[in-house]
Amino acid sequence: MEIAPGVHSIPMPTWTFMGVYVPNVYLVAGEEAALIDSGFEDREAARSRIEYIKGLAPLKLAYIIITHPHPDHIGGCRAIKKATGAQIVMHSLAAAQARRGHRVTGDVLVEDGDVLDIGGIHLEIVDTPGHSPASICIYVKESKILFTGDHILGIGTTVVDAPDGDMTQYIDSLKKLLKYDISLICPGHGPPIHEAERKIEELIAHRGERERQVISCLRQGRKTVAKLVAEIYPELDQRLLELARRQVLAHLRKLVKENKVAVAGEEYALKETVRVIG
Ligand SMILES: [Zn+2]
């Protein structure tokens, strides 16, 4: 399915993954093509994607770019590489995790500002750590389309959970994207986003709001992560408890790093010298 000129969203059979968050796999076509992410390591899903790519012949797949080494993004890349001969591209920081966790070796290791040329189309690598330390976005210079992996999702907000996720980096990465002229965001999950700037500003505001909540809880005295979670998410589904715990921890670590909060054992306390407005 072509969602913008030269940009395909490759559908996968719906029965292969029943979750809400089906991963998106995109193909960008110049004289050659690049795949953005590869979905799960699911033989049927990979096969249907390979068929889709082969259906675009004589277009040749040159690269499979992995936005970050999580299983729903990197899982399918070995099968797709085997079938197409494309090179696997990932951030240099992702290489060790990809090899260890997914038995995937990066053929091309990239860093912030690197540009891949697929013949008339230039793909710029934008470092956006936060959701994971090695998360990247891919900016298509010609069409101003931004592929965001899990940094920005089409529905809701992404997971930034300590220790893998880093809230300081995540917010800095969002602010960095505001400097780009973006016509369309193609996220790793969910539908495309047309109002890029507004979406990014909303996400920054959402985290600011959550941070103010954490601070307001801390102001009432020393708090453990468990107490903060209970106050911030009073009616939380128990299955989401661990995730909420790690997200609150990511906020706390940001505040500790900024010297606004002190930590002693399991207890966190707002530093007295900090005056927080709001
Ligand atoms: Zn992820």
Side-chain angles (χ1 to χ4, degrees):
M1 184 174 56
E2 199 166 357
I3 56 168
V7 177
H8 299 248
S9 177
I10 305 184
M12 74 189 272
T14 46
W15 50 267
T16 53
F17 182 63
M18 300 304 284
V20 191
Y21 280 158
V22 178
N24 293 326
V25 173
Y26 301 100
L27 181 141
V28 188
E31 285 164 23
E32 294 185 314
L35 205 63
I36 313 286
D37 282 333
S38 60
F40 279 106
E41 186 177 11
D42 172 309
R43 198 173 295 177
E44 281 307 306
R47 202 181 54 161
S48 82
R49 280 168 175 150
I50 291 163
E51 275 169 20
Y52 188 97
I53 295 162
K54 291 201 164 162
L56 298 174
L59 188 67
K60 179 178 166 288
L61 188 69
Y63 300 114
I64 305 164
I65 307 173
I66 305 299
T67 60
H68 64 298
H70 284 172
D72 48 339
H73 299 264
I74 197 172
C77 75
R78 285 195 307 164
I80 297 172
K81 175 183 173 170
K82 199 169 161 204
T84 61
Q87 291 189 299
I88 297 172
V89 180
M90 65 179 72
H91 194 279
S92 53
L93 287 176
Q97 193 184 341
R99 215 172 21 245
R100 214 176 37 241
H102 307 282
R103 293 167 291 127
V104 171
T105 306
D107 300 305
V108 180
L109 300 184
V110 290
E111 287 181 10
D112 191 48
D114 286 352
V115 176
L116 295 167
D117 182 352
I118 51 169
I121 300 288
H122 297 85
L123 308 173
E124 180 188 337
I125 306 300
V126 186
D127 272 14
T128 50
H131 168 73
S132 82
S135 286
I136 54 171
C137 291
I138 296 105
Y139 183 65
V140 187
K141 293 190 166 203
E142 288 74 13
S143 57
K144 300 181 167 61
I145 293 174
L146 184 77
F147 296 92
T148 55
D150 282 355
H151 182 55
I152 296 173
L153 305 180
I155 305 166
T157 55
T158 195
V159 172
V160 182
D161 58 340
D164 205 27
D166 184 303
M167 194 60 74
T168 308
Q169 287 187 332
Y170 169 69
I171 291 167
D172 287 348
S173 293
L174 286 173
K175 288 180 180 165
K176 177 179 179 177
L177 291 180
L178 286 173
K179 295 188 198 120
Y180 284 76
D181 182 10
I182 303 165
S183 64
L184 183 73
I185 288 177
C186 293
H189 303 268
I193 300 156
H194 292 272
E195 294 187 313
E197 195 177 327
R198 200 173 87 182
K199 177 72 180 181
I200 295 166
E201 276 167 355
E202 271 173 19
L203 292 172
I204 295 169
H206 170 74
R207 297 296 173 165
E209 184 53 42
R210 182 69 80 229
E211 183 172 301
R212 275 190 290 281
Q213 261 183 302
V214 169
I215 287 170
S216 131
C217 290
L218 289 171
R219 192 179 281 142
Q220 294 154 28
R222 280 181 182 274
K223 296 279 178 186
T224 61
V225 172
K227 281 182 186 164
L228 284 164
V229 169
E231 283 186 51
I232 294 169
Y233 305 97
E235 281 160 24
L236 188 70
D237 182 327
Q238 289 302 299
R239 287 169 295 182
L240 298 175
L241 197 64
E242 181 54 25
L243 196 58
R245 207 187 64 75
R246 294 203 306 263
Q247 293 235 82
V248 165
L249 190 59
H251 276 287
L252 287 168
R253 287 189 173 184
K254 173 176 181 288
L255 291 166
V256 169
K257 215 186 289 178
E258 291 167 359
N259 206 24
K260 291 177 182 165
V261 164
V263 53
E266 294 200 339
E267 295 205 319
Y268 292 82
L270 199 61
K271 290 204 171 176
E272 279 172 26
T273 49
V274 175
R275 287 170 60 88
V276 186
I277 300 152

